Amino acid sequence: MRFNVLVRRYGEFVVAHARIVLGFSLLLSFIACIGVAGLSNDPDNRVFFDDDDPKLIALEALESTYTKSDNVFIALAPHSAQVFTPRVIDALLELTGRAWQLPHSSRVDSLTNYQHTRADGDDLVVSDLIESTASLDAATLTRLKNTSLAKEFLVNRLISADASVTGLNITVQKPPADDSAIYAIADAARQLVEEFEVLYPQIDFYLTGGVMYDVAFANLPTQENALLVPLMFALILIVVGVSLRTVWATVSVIILIALSVGVAMGLWGWADTVLNAGTTGAPVIIPTLAVAHCVHLLVTTRHRMATGISQQQAVTQAVCTNLAPVFITCATTAIGFLSLNFSEAPPFRLLGNLVATGVMVSFILSMTLLPAFLAIVKLKPATGKPLLQPLMINIAEFVIARYKFLSVSLPLLVVVAALGTTQIELDDNFIKYFSDKFELRRDTDFIEQRLTGLNAIEYSIVATEEGGISEPAYLSGVDEFVQWLKAQPKVTNVGALPVTMKELNRSMHADDPFYYRLPESRALAAQYLLLYEMSLPFGLDLNNSIDIDKSQSRVVAIIQDASSKDMRDLNARAEAWLQAEHSELFTEGSGLSMAFAYVSERNIRSMLFGSLLALLSISFILVLALRSVRTGMISLVPNLVPAAVALGLWGYLVGEVGLSVAVVVAVTLGIVVDDTVHFLNRYLRARRDLGMSAEDAIRETMSTVGVALWITSMALVTGFSVLFLSGFKVNAEMGILTAVTILIALVADYLLLPSILMRFDRRPLAAAPAPG
């Protein structure tokens, strides 16, 4: 009772001092919004991993032993489908030379500068495979083609098996303390490609690589929000405007949701927060959620004005009626998003914190700025029945007449739908996180289909001692592993020391194919390796293949069109093979592709615990707020059903989901509670305060709250559906899954929840005031 008095006094204070409250709210909001200037973007795709992520640690250890694999990859596809023509070779020679001039370029590998070996007496001659086009007649070109296609290292890495596409790989060393360097590298690479497209119009050029993906990740928030945020505002404006049919009410909604996102992002900007691709959805999600609070306050205000009281009194009563349920819904929504802090991926943790902040900011503004604004402007009372009220009454009568059937059949349908979750296969493909509306994705797809895979599993295989990589037993074991890898599905190329040693052994025996095998002694292998290293030009040494004391070497398996599951399965088989066949060489698979392959799997496990904790917290809040353990337990049904059904339908219809599924349950759990809270709050008021029967309480609830639930749900569905237009797969999947979940939640609140209440809440309730 004391709480209700305090709430009423607060509402009266806000209305009585509306101009002061409005001015103070706007001033603080603008100060907070200034902080947006402090936000920045991180261009490193490794933001998806914690510093203590085991796969990231393994990757960094691999890179510290060899060279870091940041790269730019350019593919050349001549219209003639023939790489070995003078014009194409001329383009490749010139492009290879220019590629060395890219900022921070440390190595360029192409068909032309491949280090070809041959013997000259007792000497080993190492030279570029193609040095110029001066004497490239038809016979020479044919010989070069045959030589290239006979090189294990080149085929399906730098030259396609049909010699129709070639490429060059540019390794770059990014300065660790200079984030701007990555943009300079990418810009220079794009300018280089654009220049060559003009010089060689008969050749198509395709650009991809780790550097280009880093820049794409960094630019994504700006690019996406330039489209998605205005579109979201426009759609919400239409939904709310059509539903409320009053200009000032619609204006108030736009002001509040704009300030909600601005203040939330600004507060994190004051903390110099660094955004990334995973946080792109925050500026769309925050205003989408803020709409719900506005609508409930506006609908209540106009409904009370229709009874004949003044606008100021109506606003005061709207604050009194909605403060408690809006706070509960904001708290539960925030808990749902805060549970993302259990995610293994830091971008999701930041997304959860950003949105949770926005939700609580929207609560504060909806109880300060919004009622103050409504007390000043002139609102029209709701005239006649709301547009959707007849439909709500019909739904109520339908449920009352058939609640026994609905309370049995609907749960059965839920079970059948939820069984579809068993059909879901967790899978991902890092290089396909971007949709094909991005040129980077289209270029990457072409290169994967026509030239080489862009995913790789890397193994650093340790010898028993310094210089041990020359031991015949070591080389033989590694070679067996290489042959096993080459025989696996989707493996297109395997680069390893034994391949080089075989080439050297053959060259030192007058290129006799019989000697394309490993040297027979450690001394001979070491001698070949020394001669080869001494003959290599600057920038094309073996530092990317062997360590400095020659105690370990790198095996790189290139995988084509591989999903995360493909990568995990292949690595598991490879590790099992090593353990069984050469346990002395056993090592775990590593590389950036492997790190991404495992992050989804670990994220699911961590988010299961986070979602469970969020569920327990939300349940506890609902039981306290509703002051009824039974009603609190009943409320869990429409809160858990939507995500289960949505994921089940996804399992039946799509069957595959990636990183986004780990956050959908946690996110939607907090959101769908909102409608349930407002429904049960009104229902309990009717039962306790007005002494209504369960049937009349359902009618009263549906005729009042039902309309607001429809408007808020449609606004939420509209807002999250906008994310489906995102070019970033994680956001698009999260958006559509969340939108479907909210739609299912609305159906559950209209049909399932009232039918369960009708079946299990038949006892008379003692009169007692409901919360708020």
Side-chain angles (χ1 to χ4, degrees):
M1 212 45 199
R2 180 175 174 76
F3 175 77
N4 290 341
V5 172
L6 291 174
V7 171
R8 187 180 71 251
R9 289 178 179 174
Y10 170 76
E12 292 170 348
F13 173 84
V14 171
V15 171
H17 303 85
R19 297 184 185 278
I20 296 175
V21 173
L22 180 62
F24 195 62
S25 300
L26 289 173
L27 176 63
L28 292 180
S29 297
F30 289 145
I31 292 173
C33 288
I34 294 172
V36 170
L39 297 172
S40 59
N41 292 322
D42 191 338
D44 193 348
N45 54 36
R46 300 187 189 193
V47 296
F48 280 88
F49 309 101
D50 276 319
D51 291 338
D52 60 352
D53 186 292
K55 292 298 179 182
L56 181 63
I57 292 173
L59 171 61
E60 291 174 342
L62 184 81
E63 292 175 338
S64 66
T65 302
Y66 308 100
T67 56
K68 201 170 182 180
S69 55
D70 290 321
N71 75 311
V72 174
F73 192 95
I74 304 174
L76 293 77
H79 297 171
S80 64
Q82 292 295 326
V83 167
F84 292 93
T85 64
R87 188 63 174 161
V88 177
I89 296 299
D90 189 53
L92 186 57
L93 278 166
E94 186 179 357
L95 186 59
T96 300
R98 292 285 301 279
W100 283 101
Q101 300 171 25
L102 286 184
H104 311 290
S105 172
S106 64
R107 182 185 182 104
V108 178
D109 290 290
S110 78
L111 187 66
T112 58
N113 74 350
Y114 173 75
Q115 295 305 289
H116 180 54
T117 60
R118 60 185 175 83
D120 185 3
D122 292 334
D123 295 328
L124 178 68
V125 178
V126 181
S127 62
D128 289 353
L129 180 61
I130 307 173
E131 296 179 336
S132 73
T133 56
S135 58
L136 289 184
D137 54 26
T140 303
L141 286 169
T142 300
R143 178 179 58 79
L144 287 173
K145 177 179 179 180
N146 294 335
T147 300
S148 300
L149 295 179
K151 301 291 185 181
E152 286 189 47
F153 177 84
L154 292 178
V155 178
N156 293 327
R157 184 190 288 254
L158 296 177
I159 182 73
S160 62
D162 61 358
S164 64
V165 181
T166 187
L168 68 158
N169 187 66
I170 308 160
T171 303
V172 298
Q173 298 294 330
K174 297 183 296 185
D178 184 8
D179 287 340
S180 64
I182 197 75
Y183 298 102
I185 298 168
D187 288 343
R190 276 192 288 264
Q191 290 172 13
L192 182 62
V193 167
E194 289 169 2
E195 179 184 338
F196 272 72
E197 285 175 334
V198 174
L199 292 173
Y200 297 93
Q202 70 275 38
I203 302 174
D204 291 329
F205 293 83
Y206 299 87
L207 183 62
T208 187
V211 169
M212 308 311 295
Y213 266 88
D214 280 348
V215 172
F217 272 108
N219 291 338
L220 187 69
T222 303
Q223 293 175 351
E224 292 278 273
N225 290 332
L227 167 67
L228 300 184
V229 173
L231 179 60
M232 178 274 304
F233 270 90
L235 292 175
I236 287 180
L237 180 66
I238 293 171
V239 171
V240 174
V242 170
S243 302
L244 296 177
R245 292 176 293 170
T246 170
V247 174
W248 280 118
T250 306
V251 169
S252 68
V253 170
I254 296 300
I255 293 173
L256 189 138
I257 64 176
L259 287 178
S260 294
V261 67
V263 170
M265 302 302 288
L267 290 175
W268 284 91
W270 281 112
D272 295 325
T273 300
V274 181
L275 303 179
N276 50 65
T279 60
T280 305
V284 176
I285 296 173
I286 292 171
T288 300
L289 297 174
V291 169
H293 319 320
C294 304
V295 169
H296 283 288
L297 204 73
L298 287 165
V299 169
T300 304
T301 299
R302 297 184 68 223
H303 179 73
R304 297 296 167 84
M305 287 175 65
T307 64
I309 65 175
S310 69
Q311 182 173 324
Q312 285 70 28
Q313 288 176 314
V315 173
T316 301
Q317 291 185 17
V319 171
C320 295
T321 301
N322 288 285
L323 191 146
V326 167
F327 174 76
I328 294 169
T329 58
C330 286
T332 53
T333 301
I335 288 172
F337 278 94
L338 288 174
S339 70
L340 294 183
N341 281 283
F342 289 94
S343 171
E344 287 285 326
F348 287 137
R349 298 203 291 267
L350 180 56
L351 174 66
N353 293 333
L354 285 170
V355 176
T357 302
V359 168
M360 296 316 296
V361 166
S362 70
F363 165 72
I364 294 171
L365 292 176
S366 66
M367 292 299 153
T368 53
L369 183 145
L370 182 59
F373 182 83
L374 295 179
I376 295 172
V377 301
K378 185 171 179 59
L379 288 177
K380 293 180 180 179
T383 55
K385 289 186 177 181
L387 187 64
L388 295 169
Q389 196 173 68
L391 174 63
M392 299 300 112
I393 294 173
N394 289 337
I395 293 174
E397 295 300 335
F398 175 81
V399 172
I400 291 169
R402 298 170 176 81
Y403 76 88
K404 291 183 179 179
F405 171 75
L406 292 174
S407 62
V408 174
S409 59
L410 289 179
L412 288 176
L413 287 176
V414 167
V415 171
V416 172
L419 287 174
T421 57
T422 61
Q423 305 299 311
I424 288 179
E425 185 175 286
L426 177 64
D427 212 351
D428 243 338
N429 189 332
F430 160 64
I431 63 176
K432 293 184 178 179
Y433 275 3
F434 295 90
S435 74
D436 57 12
K437 77 177 186 180
F438 288 89
E439 185 178 18
L440 174 62
R441 167 65 187 278
R442 297 194 298 272
D443 285 4
T444 299
D445 284 348
F446 177 87
I447 292 170
E448 277 238 308
Q449 293 164 10
R450 297 288 302 279
L451 178 57
T452 184
L454 294 172
N455 281 309
I457 307 179
E458 305 178 43
Y459 301 89
S460 183
I461 301 183
V462 182
T464 56
E465 59 183 348
E466 184 175 335
I469 61 173
S470 297
E471 281 286 354
Y474 173 86
L475 289 170
S476 176
V478 175
D479 187 48
E480 288 180 33
F481 182 48
V482 168
Q483 300 309 315
W484 181 88
L485 283 171
K486 288 171 64 177
Q488 302 309 302
K490 299 193 176 185
V491 176
T492 61
N493 185 284
V494 182
L497 179 61
V499 176
T500 302
M501 297 305 296
K502 289 178 182 180
E503 291 274 0
L504 292 173
N505 195 41
R506 179 174 61 185
S507 296
M508 294 302 291
H509 288 86
D511 290 326
D512 185 345
F514 176 78
Y515 286 96
Y516 187 73
R517 57 187 181 183
L518 296 172
E520 296 178 354
S521 70
R522 173 172 176 167
L524 191 59
Q527 181 183 357
Y528 288 170
L529 196 57
L530 177 62
L531 286 171
Y532 184 58
E533 286 188 290
M534 291 176 63
S535 304
L536 291 173
F538 175 77
L540 293 176
D541 52 39
L542 294 179
N543 288 345
N544 65 337
S545 301
I546 61 177
D547 72 333
I548 194 168
D549 61 4
K550 296 180 175 56
S551 62
Q552 53 188 313
S553 67
R554 188 183 203 172
V555 175
V556 181
I558 306 295
I559 322 296
Q560 195 168 34
D561 192 27
S563 66
S564 293
K565 185 175 184 299
D566 295 331
M567 300 283 288
R568 292 193 301 267
D569 290 347
L570 174 58
N571 183 59
R573 297 198 308 274
E575 291 179 359
W577 187 93
L578 276 174
Q579 188 68 58
E581 301 297 330
H582 288 282
S583 58
E584 74 281 3
L585 302 178
F586 178 79
T587 186
E588 294 183 352
S590 184
L592 185 60
S593 298
M594 286 304 299
F596 272 100
Y598 281 97
V599 71
S600 297
E601 192 176 52
R602 291 199 311 276
N603 209 41
I604 285 289
R605 291 196 297 266
S606 61
M607 284 309 303
L608 283 175
F609 178 75
S611 298
L612 178 61
L613 188 61
L615 175 62
L616 293 174
S617 301
I618 290 172
S619 302
F620 180 71
I621 290 174
L622 290 179
V623 168
L624 288 181
L626 298 173
R627 287 180 292 170
S628 168
V629 174
R630 180 181 57 178
T631 307
M633 292 301 101
I634 288 175
S635 72
L636 293 181
V637 176
N639 294 336
L640 293 177
V641 161
V645 173
L647 289 174
L649 293 176
W650 188 276
Y652 285 128
L653 300 175
V654 181
E656 180 183 301
V657 75
L659 200 58
S660 57
V661 72
V663 302
V664 168
V665 174
V667 167
T668 56
L669 182 61
I671 295 174
V672 300
V673 166
D674 294 9
D675 287 351
T676 305
V677 167
H678 284 285
F679 190 101
L680 288 174
N681 183 68
R682 174 64 67 174
Y683 175 82
L684 290 177
R685 276 181 175 274
R687 294 279 276 141
R688 291 171 176 166
D689 293 0
L690 304 178
M692 290 184 177
S693 64
E695 290 86 348
D696 289 339
I698 294 296
R699 294 186 179 98
E700 166 67 15
T701 301
M702 288 297 295
S703 64
T704 53
V705 175
V707 175
L709 297 189
W710 175 271
I711 298 172
T712 57
S713 295
M714 290 303 103
L716 287 168
V717 169
T718 300
F720 278 101
S721 295
V722 167
L723 283 177
F724 183 63
L725 301 177
S726 171
F728 191 56
K729 178 184 176 184
V730 175
N731 290 338
E733 285 188 352
M734 182 178 70
I736 193 63
L737 273 170
T738 303
V740 171
T741 302
I742 292 170
L743 271 179
I744 295 169
L746 181 64
V747 175
D749 283 324
Y750 279 171
L751 300 179
L752 182 58
L753 178 58
S755 64
I756 292 176
L757 289 172
M758 288 286 296
R759 178 174 282 274
F760 297 104
D761 189 36
R762 309 295 296 174
R763 296 177 301 171
L765 294 181

